[in-house]
PDB file of all heavy atoms in Angstrom:
ATOM      1  N   PHE A  17     -20.050  19.696-122.720  1.00  0.00           N
ATOM      2  CA  PHE A  17     -18.672  19.463-123.282  1.00  0.00           C
ATOM      3  C   PHE A  17     -18.404  17.941-123.178  1.00  0.00           C
ATOM      4  O   PHE A  17     -19.095  17.227-122.434  1.00  0.00           O
ATOM      5  CB  PHE A  17     -17.593  20.247-122.710  1.00  0.00           C
ATOM      6  CG  PHE A  17     -17.320  19.948-121.203  1.00  0.00           C
ATOM      7  CD1 PHE A  17     -16.276  19.087-120.934  1.00  0.00           C
ATOM      8  CD2 PHE A  17     -17.971  20.471-120.182  1.00  0.00           C
ATOM      9  CE1 PHE A  17     -15.912  18.735-119.602  1.00  0.00           C
ATOM     10  CE2 PHE A  17     -17.709  20.331-118.836  1.00  0.00           C
ATOM     11  CZ  PHE A  17     -16.663  19.405-118.636  1.00  0.00           C
ATOM     12  N   VAL A  18     -17.388  17.480-123.920  1.00  0.00           N
ATOM     13  CA  VAL A  18     -17.035  16.123-124.054  1.00  0.00           C
ATOM     14  C   VAL A  18     -15.559  15.888-123.496  1.00  0.00           C
ATOM     15  O   VAL A  18     -14.810  16.790-123.793  1.00  0.00           O
ATOM     16  CB  VAL A  18     -17.151  15.613-125.484  1.00  0.00           C
ATOM     17  CG1 VAL A  18     -16.642  14.178-125.572  1.00  0.00           C
ATOM     18  CG2 VAL A  18     -18.548  15.725-126.100  1.00  0.00           C
ATOM     19  N   ARG A  19     -15.465  14.885-122.681  1.00  0.00           N
ATOM     20  CA  ARG A  19     -14.116  14.525-122.282  1.00  0.00           C
ATOM     21  C   ARG A  19     -13.899  13.032-122.137  1.00  0.00           C
ATOM     22  O   ARG A  19     -14.911  12.301-122.151  1.00  0.00           O
ATOM     23  CB  ARG A  19     -13.877  15.158-120.824  1.00  0.00           C
ATOM     24  CG  ARG A  19     -14.707  14.605-119.753  1.00  0.00           C
ATOM     25  CD  ARG A  19     -14.123  15.172-118.336  1.00  0.00           C
ATOM     26  NE  ARG A  19     -14.855  14.582-117.220  1.00  0.00           N
ATOM     27  CZ  ARG A  19     -14.670  13.429-116.662  1.00  0.00           C
ATOM     28  NH1 ARG A  19     -13.693  12.667-117.018  1.00  0.00           N
ATOM     29  NH2 ARG A  19     -15.454  13.085-115.594  1.00  0.00           N
ATOM     30  N   LYS A  20     -12.757  12.523-121.901  1.00  0.00           N
ATOM     31  CA  LYS A  20     -12.437  11.060-121.727  1.00  0.00           C
ATOM     32  C   LYS A  20     -12.907  10.718-120.311  1.00  0.00           C
ATOM     33  O   LYS A  20     -12.837  11.487-119.353  1.00  0.00           O
ATOM     34  CB  LYS A  20     -10.963  10.777-121.788  1.00  0.00           C
ATOM     35  CG  LYS A  20     -10.508  10.899-123.215  1.00  0.00           C
ATOM     36  CD  LYS A  20     -11.057   9.781-124.082  1.00  0.00           C
ATOM     37  CE  LYS A  20     -10.355   9.618-125.368  1.00  0.00           C
ATOM     38  NZ  LYS A  20     -10.712   8.389-126.101  1.00  0.00           N
ATOM     39  N   ASP A  21     -13.482   9.573-120.180  1.00  0.00           N
ATOM     40  CA  ASP A  21     -13.966   9.045-118.823  1.00  0.00           C
ATOM     41  C   ASP A  21     -12.794   8.414-118.141  1.00  0.00           C
ATOM     42  O   ASP A  21     -12.852   7.149-117.981  1.00  0.00           O
ATOM     43  CB  ASP A  21     -15.130   8.146-119.047  1.00  0.00           C
ATOM     44  CG  ASP A  21     -15.854   7.793-117.808  1.00  0.00           C
ATOM     45  OD1 ASP A  21     -15.693   8.519-116.809  1.00  0.00           O
ATOM     46  OD2 ASP A  21     -16.611   6.839-117.805  1.00  0.00           O
ATOM     47  N   PHE A  22     -11.822   9.238-117.712  1.00  0.00           N
ATOM     48  CA  PHE A  22     -10.673   8.695-117.026  1.00  0.00           C
ATOM     49  C   PHE A  22     -10.363   9.705-115.790  1.00  0.00           C
ATOM     50  O   PHE A  22     -10.343  10.846-115.992  1.00  0.00           O
ATOM     51  CB  PHE A  22      -9.555   8.637-117.973  1.00  0.00           C
ATOM     52  CG  PHE A  22      -8.264   7.978-117.348  1.00  0.00           C
ATOM     53  CD1 PHE A  22      -8.283   6.566-117.199  1.00  0.00           C
ATOM     54  CD2 PHE A  22      -7.246   8.730-116.876  1.00  0.00           C
ATOM     55  CE1 PHE A  22      -7.036   6.021-116.682  1.00  0.00           C
ATOM     56  CE2 PHE A  22      -6.122   8.211-116.337  1.00  0.00           C
ATOM     57  CZ  PHE A  22      -6.054   6.719-116.178  1.00  0.00           C
ATOM     58  N   PRO A  23     -10.122   9.078-114.584  1.00  0.00           N
ATOM     59  CA  PRO A  23      -9.798   9.987-113.457  1.00  0.00           C
ATOM     60  C   PRO A  23      -8.555  10.791-113.658  1.00  0.00           C
ATOM     61  O   PRO A  23      -7.601  10.211-113.901  1.00  0.00           O
ATOM     62  CB  PRO A  23      -9.746   9.024-112.341  1.00  0.00           C
ATOM     63  CG  PRO A  23      -9.981   7.606-112.782  1.00  0.00           C
ATOM     64  CD  PRO A  23     -10.125   7.708-114.254  1.00  0.00           C
ATOM     65  N   GLN A  24      -8.606  12.118-113.534  1.00  0.00           N
ATOM     66  CA  GLN A  24      -7.529  12.894-113.876  1.00  0.00           C
ATOM     67  C   GLN A  24      -6.396  12.757-112.772  1.00  0.00           C
ATOM     68  O   GLN A  24      -5.239  12.788-113.075  1.00  0.00           O
ATOM     69  CB  GLN A  24      -7.909  14.377-113.870  1.00  0.00           C
ATOM     70  CG  GLN A  24      -8.680  14.781-115.035  1.00  0.00           C
ATOM     71  CD  GLN A  24      -9.211  16.193-115.007  1.00  0.00           C
ATOM     72  OE1 GLN A  24      -9.183  16.825-113.996  1.00  0.00           O
ATOM     73  NE2 GLN A  24      -9.516  16.749-116.159  1.00  0.00           N
ATOM     74  N   LYS A  25      -6.839  12.517-111.574  1.00  0.00           N
ATOM     75  CA  LYS A  25      -5.808  12.136-110.548  1.00  0.00           C
ATOM     76  C   LYS A  25      -4.942  10.883-110.806  1.00  0.00           C
ATOM     77  O   LYS A  25      -3.711  10.960-110.498  1.00  0.00           O
ATOM     78  CB  LYS A  25      -6.461  12.097-109.139  1.00  0.00           C
ATOM     79  CG  LYS A  25      -7.116  13.351-108.704  1.00  0.00           C
ATOM     80  CD  LYS A  25      -7.698  13.316-107.283  1.00  0.00           C
ATOM     81  CE  LYS A  25      -8.287  14.641-106.948  1.00  0.00           C
ATOM     82  NZ  LYS A  25      -8.981  14.556-105.579  1.00  0.00           N
ATOM     83  N   LEU A  26      -5.578   9.889-111.380  1.00  0.00           N
ATOM     84  CA  LEU A  26      -4.732   8.637-111.673  1.00  0.00           C
ATOM     85  C   LEU A  26      -3.866   9.005-112.828  1.00  0.00           C
ATOM     86  O   LEU A  26      -2.708   8.497-112.770  1.00  0.00           O
ATOM     87  CB  LEU A  26      -5.714   7.603-112.148  1.00  0.00           C
ATOM     88  CG  LEU A  26      -4.963   6.266-112.428  1.00  0.00           C
ATOM     89  CD1 LEU A  26      -4.181   5.764-111.447  1.00  0.00           C
ATOM     90  CD2 LEU A  26      -6.160   5.233-112.872  1.00  0.00           C
ATOM     91  N   GLY A  27      -4.217   9.760-113.871  1.00  0.00           N
ATOM     92  CA  GLY A  27      -3.316  10.214-114.896  1.00  0.00           C
ATOM     93  C   GLY A  27      -2.150  10.970-114.356  1.00  0.00           C
ATOM     94  O   GLY A  27      -1.075  10.820-114.804  1.00  0.00           O
ATOM     95  N   LEU A  28      -2.433  11.931-113.574  1.00  0.00           N
ATOM     96  CA  LEU A  28      -1.397  12.639-112.930  1.00  0.00           C
ATOM     97  C   LEU A  28      -0.376  11.893-112.167  1.00  0.00           C
ATOM     98  O   LEU A  28       0.793  12.084-112.067  1.00  0.00           O
ATOM     99  CB  LEU A  28      -2.017  13.886-111.970  1.00  0.00           C
ATOM    100  CG  LEU A  28      -0.992  14.724-111.298  1.00  0.00           C
ATOM    101  CD1 LEU A  28      -0.108  15.474-112.334  1.00  0.00           C
ATOM    102  CD2 LEU A  28      -1.622  15.670-110.374  1.00  0.00           C
ATOM    103  N   LEU A  29      -0.918  10.828-111.294  1.00  0.00           N
ATOM    104  CA  LEU A  29      -0.084   9.981-110.628  1.00  0.00           C
ATOM    105  C   LEU A  29       0.819   9.125-111.499  1.00  0.00           C
ATOM    106  O   LEU A  29       1.970   8.971-111.337  1.00  0.00           O
ATOM    107  CB  LEU A  29      -0.932   9.020-109.695  1.00  0.00           C
ATOM    108  CG  LEU A  29      -0.192   7.957-108.944  1.00  0.00           C
ATOM    109  CD1 LEU A  29       0.568   8.683-107.854  1.00  0.00           C
ATOM    110  CD2 LEU A  29      -1.217   6.949-108.394  1.00  0.00           C
ATOM    111  N   ILE A  30       0.319   8.636-112.657  1.00  0.00           N
ATOM    112  CA  ILE A  30       1.138   7.905-113.564  1.00  0.00           C
ATOM    113  C   ILE A  30       2.281   8.731-114.124  1.00  0.00           C
ATOM    114  O   ILE A  30       3.412   8.353-114.209  1.00  0.00           O
ATOM    115  CB  ILE A  30       0.253   7.325-114.727  1.00  0.00           C
ATOM    116  CG1 ILE A  30      -0.703   6.264-114.205  1.00  0.00           C
ATOM    117  CG2 ILE A  30       1.074   6.777-115.866  1.00  0.00           C
ATOM    118  CD1 ILE A  30      -1.760   5.883-115.217  1.00  0.00           C
ATOM    119  N   VAL A  31       1.954   9.910-114.556  1.00  0.00           N
ATOM    120  CA  VAL A  31       2.977  10.908-115.060  1.00  0.00           C
ATOM    121  C   VAL A  31       3.991  11.212-114.013  1.00  0.00           C
ATOM    122  O   VAL A  31       5.248  11.254-114.269  1.00  0.00           O
ATOM    123  CB  VAL A  31       2.397  12.097-115.708  1.00  0.00           C
ATOM    124  CG1 VAL A  31       3.288  13.207-116.083  1.00  0.00           C
ATOM    125  CG2 VAL A  31       1.456  11.761-116.941  1.00  0.00           C
ATOM    126  N   SER A  32       3.477  11.464-112.773  1.00  0.00           N
ATOM    127  CA  SER A  32       4.466  11.895-111.705  1.00  0.00           C
ATOM    128  C   SER A  32       5.348  10.759-111.351  1.00  0.00           C
ATOM    129  O   SER A  32       6.589  11.007-111.260  1.00  0.00           O
ATOM    130  CB  SER A  32       3.587  12.290-110.481  1.00  0.00           C
ATOM    131  OG  SER A  32       2.870  13.312-110.717  1.00  0.00           O
ATOM    132  N   ASP A  62      -0.146   5.620-121.837  1.00  0.00           N
ATOM    133  CA  ASP A  62      -1.040   6.793-122.063  1.00  0.00           C
ATOM    134  C   ASP A  62      -1.749   6.634-123.469  1.00  0.00           C
ATOM    135  O   ASP A  62      -2.920   6.960-123.459  1.00  0.00           O
ATOM    136  CB  ASP A  62      -0.220   8.068-122.100  1.00  0.00           C
ATOM    137  CG  ASP A  62      -1.008   9.322-122.281  1.00  0.00           C
ATOM    138  OD1 ASP A  62      -2.013   9.473-121.491  1.00  0.00           O
ATOM    139  OD2 ASP A  62      -0.927  10.110-123.260  1.00  0.00           O
ATOM    140  N   LEU A  65      -4.537   3.981-123.124  1.00  0.00           N
ATOM    141  CA  LEU A  65      -5.614   4.463-122.408  1.00  0.00           C
ATOM    142  C   LEU A  65      -6.412   5.476-123.216  1.00  0.00           C
ATOM    143  O   LEU A  65      -7.678   5.467-123.201  1.00  0.00           O
ATOM    144  CB  LEU A  65      -5.180   5.179-121.048  1.00  0.00           C
ATOM    145  CG  LEU A  65      -4.684   4.230-120.060  1.00  0.00           C
ATOM    146  CD1 LEU A  65      -4.015   4.984-118.877  1.00  0.00           C
ATOM    147  CD2 LEU A  65      -5.731   3.351-119.441  1.00  0.00           C
ATOM    148  N   VAL A  69     -10.289   4.316-123.708  1.00  0.00           N
ATOM    149  CA  VAL A  69     -11.166   4.965-122.611  1.00  0.00           C
ATOM    150  C   VAL A  69     -12.210   5.668-123.500  1.00  0.00           C
ATOM    151  O   VAL A  69     -12.005   6.408-124.276  1.00  0.00           O
ATOM    152  CB  VAL A  69     -10.420   5.835-121.735  1.00  0.00           C
ATOM    153  CG1 VAL A  69     -11.413   6.660-120.902  1.00  0.00           C
ATOM    154  CG2 VAL A  69      -9.457   5.079-120.949  1.00  0.00           C
ATOM    155  N   ILE A  72     -17.384  10.828-122.443  1.00  0.00           N
ATOM    156  CA  ILE A  72     -18.680  11.184-121.828  1.00  0.00           C
ATOM    157  C   ILE A  72     -18.895  12.586-122.124  1.00  0.00           C
ATOM    158  O   ILE A  72     -18.169  13.414-122.422  1.00  0.00           O
ATOM    159  CB  ILE A  72     -18.557  10.822-120.302  1.00  0.00           C
ATOM    160  CG1 ILE A  72     -17.530  11.726-119.682  1.00  0.00           C
ATOM    161  CG2 ILE A  72     -18.350   9.325-120.014  1.00  0.00           C
ATOM    162  CD1 ILE A  72     -17.635  11.599-118.113  1.00  0.00           C
ATOM    163  N   VAL A  74     -20.488  16.002-120.347  1.00  0.00           N
ATOM    164  CA  VAL A  74     -20.463  16.805-119.042  1.00  0.00           C
ATOM    165  C   VAL A  74     -21.266  18.044-119.231  1.00  0.00           C
ATOM    166  O   VAL A  74     -20.902  18.815-120.150  1.00  0.00           O
ATOM    167  CB  VAL A  74     -19.040  16.876-118.463  1.00  0.00           C
ATOM    168  CG1 VAL A  74     -19.184  17.394-117.154  1.00  0.00           C
ATOM    169  CG2 VAL A  74     -18.427  15.605-118.480  1.00  0.00           C
ATOM    170  N   ARG A  79     -22.271  20.006-113.716  1.00  0.00           N
ATOM    171  CA  ARG A  79     -21.131  18.980-113.846  1.00  0.00           C
ATOM    172  C   ARG A  79     -21.643  17.564-113.779  1.00  0.00           C
ATOM    173  O   ARG A  79     -20.894  16.745-113.492  1.00  0.00           O
ATOM    174  CB  ARG A  79     -20.218  19.223-112.574  1.00  0.00           C
ATOM    175  CG  ARG A  79     -19.373  20.460-112.634  1.00  0.00           C
ATOM    176  CD  ARG A  79     -18.443  20.426-113.834  1.00  0.00           C
ATOM    177  NE  ARG A  79     -17.706  21.661-113.829  1.00  0.00           N
ATOM    178  CZ  ARG A  79     -16.968  22.136-114.881  1.00  0.00           C
ATOM    179  NH1 ARG A  79     -16.781  21.442-115.884  1.00  0.00           N
ATOM    180  NH2 ARG A  79     -16.323  23.284-114.835  1.00  0.00           N
ATOM    181  N   GLU A  81     -22.523  14.089-115.311  1.00  0.00           N
ATOM    182  CA  GLU A  81     -21.735  13.337-116.300  1.00  0.00           C
ATOM    183  C   GLU A  81     -22.743  12.221-116.958  1.00  0.00           C
ATOM    184  O   GLU A  81     -23.450  11.577-116.102  1.00  0.00           O
ATOM    185  CB  GLU A  81     -20.627  12.559-115.674  1.00  0.00           C
ATOM    186  CG  GLU A  81     -19.609  13.563-115.033  1.00  0.00           C
ATOM    187  CD  GLU A  81     -18.445  12.793-114.505  1.00  0.00           C
ATOM    188  OE1 GLU A  81     -18.454  11.609-114.193  1.00  0.00           O
ATOM    189  OE2 GLU A  81     -17.415  13.413-114.260  1.00  0.00           O
ATOM    190  N   ARG A  83     -22.890   9.109-119.306  1.00  0.00           N
ATOM    191  CA  ARG A  83     -22.050   7.903-119.828  1.00  0.00           C
ATOM    192  C   ARG A  83     -22.937   7.069-120.725  1.00  0.00           C
ATOM    193  O   ARG A  83     -22.414   6.455-121.602  1.00  0.00           O
ATOM    194  CB  ARG A  83     -21.503   7.049-118.777  1.00  0.00           C
ATOM    195  CG  ARG A  83     -20.369   7.696-118.027  1.00  0.00           C
ATOM    196  CD  ARG A  83     -19.877   6.881-116.844  1.00  0.00           C
ATOM    197  NE  ARG A  83     -18.799   7.541-116.140  1.00  0.00           N
ATOM    198  CZ  ARG A  83     -18.829   8.394-115.187  1.00  0.00           C
ATOM    199  NH1 ARG A  83     -19.981   8.884-114.877  1.00  0.00           N
ATOM    200  NH2 ARG A  83     -17.711   8.908-114.775  1.00  0.00           N
ATOM    201  N   GLY A  93     -14.610  19.558-126.646  1.00  0.00           N
ATOM    202  CA  GLY A  93     -13.815  19.518-125.448  1.00  0.00           C
ATOM    203  C   GLY A  93     -14.161  20.731-124.646  1.00  0.00           C
ATOM    204  O   GLY A  93     -14.826  21.743-124.947  1.00  0.00           O
ATOM    205  N   PHE A  94     -13.647  20.731-123.361  1.00  0.00           N
ATOM    206  CA  PHE A  94     -13.856  21.842-122.410  1.00  0.00           C
ATOM    207  C   PHE A  94     -13.326  23.197-122.957  1.00  0.00           C
ATOM    208  O   PHE A  94     -12.142  23.201-123.459  1.00  0.00           O
ATOM    209  CB  PHE A  94     -13.224  21.438-121.071  1.00  0.00           C
ATOM    210  CG  PHE A  94     -13.391  22.496-119.974  1.00  0.00           C
ATOM    211  CD1 PHE A  94     -14.597  22.615-119.236  1.00  0.00           C
ATOM    212  CD2 PHE A  94     -12.459  23.531-119.726  1.00  0.00           C
ATOM    213  CE1 PHE A  94     -14.769  23.493-118.235  1.00  0.00           C
ATOM    214  CE2 PHE A  94     -12.629  24.448-118.752  1.00  0.00           C
ATOM    215  CZ  PHE A  94     -13.787  24.335-118.015  1.00  0.00           C
TER     216      PHE A  94
END
Side-chain angles (χ1 to χ4, degrees):
F17 67 95
V18 177
R19 71 169 179 84
K20 288 288 191 170
D21 191 14
F22 187 77
Q24 291 178 340
K25 290 181 182 178
L26 179 58
L28 180 61
L29 179 66
I30 292 170
V31 169
S32 298
D62 182 58
L65 288 172
V69 171
I72 61 171
V74 182
R79 295 291 181 189
E81 298 178 346
R83 291 174 173 82
F94 183 83

